């Protein structure tokens, strides 16, 4: 699932480059359009990938040497994992937008706070309530949704996005073919760059799986903690 998220993340990463240029030129509506297209593009591309993983994840897990019980658990959790990745991508897109419009300190503080709350809530549900993997995933989704909503509300209340509302909410930016083409041409090489960087980690996961299920699980846990 992480492979598709990293690749589709090119939509999100394009905000930093194109959004910065539009902001510097004073074209605030264009900044909002870039953000809207990146969020929609990322989400629409993630949905079919989620369906593919939903149909194949159990087979992938079995190929890595895990038991049928683990494969069934993965098949149940994969839908939550896709939801987590979609919300993370949307939240990251809005965070990049805030950084572009000179609110990077606020964005970094909220990102750090979100991570701390996420870790704390997961620990609470696992230790106190003996939560299942799916429940833990849903807790992570709720945390991401909560902080994304808070960022939107705070941005509106503080008046930070007034100049960008026309592009963000005024109309469907996908209809602007020129803006869409510019964003797509920038996002595509960024997507391949992210994919190649992430592929190194996934190749190591395959090698770990060859050694055994325990090694693959350990490597996956390490990757989650690192991220």
């Amino acid at each position: 699932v992480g492979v598709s998220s990293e690749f589709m993340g090119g939509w999100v990463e394009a905000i930093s480059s194109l959004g910065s240029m539009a902001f510097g030129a004073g074209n605030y509506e264009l900044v909002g359009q870039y953000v809207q297209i990146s969020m929609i593009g990322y989400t629409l591309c993630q949905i079919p990938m989620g369906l593919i993983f939903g149909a194949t994840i159990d087979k992938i897990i079995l190929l890595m040497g895990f038991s049928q019980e683990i494969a069934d658990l993965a098949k149940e959790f994969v839908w939550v994992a896709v939801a987590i990745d979609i919300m993370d991508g949307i939240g990251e897109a809005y965070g990049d937008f805030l950084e572009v419009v000179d609110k990077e300190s606020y964005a970094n503080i909220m990102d750090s706070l979100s991570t701390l709350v996420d870790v704390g809530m997961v620990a609470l549900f696992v230790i106190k309530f003996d939560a299942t993997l799916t429940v833990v995933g849903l807790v992570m989704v709720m945390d991401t949704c909560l902080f994304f909503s808070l960022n939107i509300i705070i941005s509106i209340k503080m008046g930070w996005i007034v100049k960008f509302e026309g592009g963000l909410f005024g109309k469907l930016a996908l209809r602007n073919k020129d803006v869409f083409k510019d964003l797509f041409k920038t996002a595509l090489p960024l997507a391949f760059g992210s994919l190649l960087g992430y592929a190194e980690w996934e190749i190591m996961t395959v090698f770990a799986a060859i050694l055994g299920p325990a090694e693959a699980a350990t490597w996956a846990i390490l990757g989650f903690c690192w991220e």
Side-chain angles (χ1 to χ4, degrees):
V1 178
V3 173
S4 64
S5 298
E6 289 296 323
F7 185 72
M8 302 310 170
W11 288 103
V12 176
E13 294 179 18
I15 294 174
S16 296
S17 53
L18 293 178
S20 297
M21 290 189 289
F23 181 71
N27 194 338
Y28 302 127
E29 181 178 357
L30 183 59
V31 176
Q33 288 180 328
Y34 283 141
V35 176
Q36 184 194 130
I37 292 175
S38 70
M39 289 182 177
I40 295 175
Y42 178 84
T43 303
L44 291 179
C45 290
Q46 277 286 70
I47 291 174
M49 295 305 301
L51 294 174
I52 292 172
F53 281 115
T56 60
I57 192 65
D58 54 338
K59 300 177 181 64
I60 295 173
I61 294 297
L62 290 173
L63 283 174
M64 296 179 71
F66 290 94
S67 65
Q68 183 63 50
E69 182 181 359
I70 299 299
D72 292 339
L73 184 62
K75 193 172 183 64
E76 177 184 347
F77 179 72
V78 69
W79 304 110
V80 181
V82 170
I84 293 172
D85 284 345
I86 290 176
M87 286 308 306
D88 280 346
I90 294 174
E92 183 180 347
Y94 196 77
D96 287 353
F97 161 67
L98 291 176
E99 291 177 3
V100 165
V101 299
D102 294 332
K103 303 302 177 185
E104 63 276 2
S105 297
Y106 165 83
N108 289 332
I109 290 172
M110 290 298 285
D111 187 50
S112 299
L113 185 58
S114 174
T115 301
L116 290 174
V117 172
D118 192 27
V119 172
M121 291 299 292
V122 168
L124 174 65
F125 272 78
V126 170
I127 297 172
K128 188 72 174 179
F129 303 108
D130 194 24
T132 64
L133 182 61
T134 301
V135 172
V136 169
L138 291 174
V139 169
M140 296 173 68
V141 172
M142 288 189 293
D143 173 74
T144 306
C145 291
L146 171 64
F147 276 88
F148 176 67
S149 300
L150 285 175
N151 282 332
I152 295 289
I153 294 171
I154 293 173
S155 299
I156 293 174
K157 291 293 185 181
M158 298 296 292
W160 294 340
I161 64 172
V162 173
K163 296 182 292 186
F164 311 96
E165 288 178 348
L168 281 170
F169 312 116
K171 55 187 176 181
L172 183 61
L174 286 174
R175 294 177 178 175
N176 191 327
K177 295 181 180 179
D178 292 333
V179 175
F180 176 81
K181 287 180 181 178
D182 287 341
L183 186 65
F184 183 78
K185 287 190 294 185
T186 303
L188 190 60
L190 290 172
F192 278 106
S194 296
L195 180 63
L196 292 174
Y198 188 79
E200 298 177 3
W201 190 272
E202 290 302 316
I203 291 172
M204 294 300 293
T205 302
V206 173
F207 289 154
I210 293 174
L211 295 176
E215 287 78 2
T218 303
W219 187 255
I221 292 172
L222 179 62
F224 180 80
C225 294
W226 179 265
E227 185 179 356

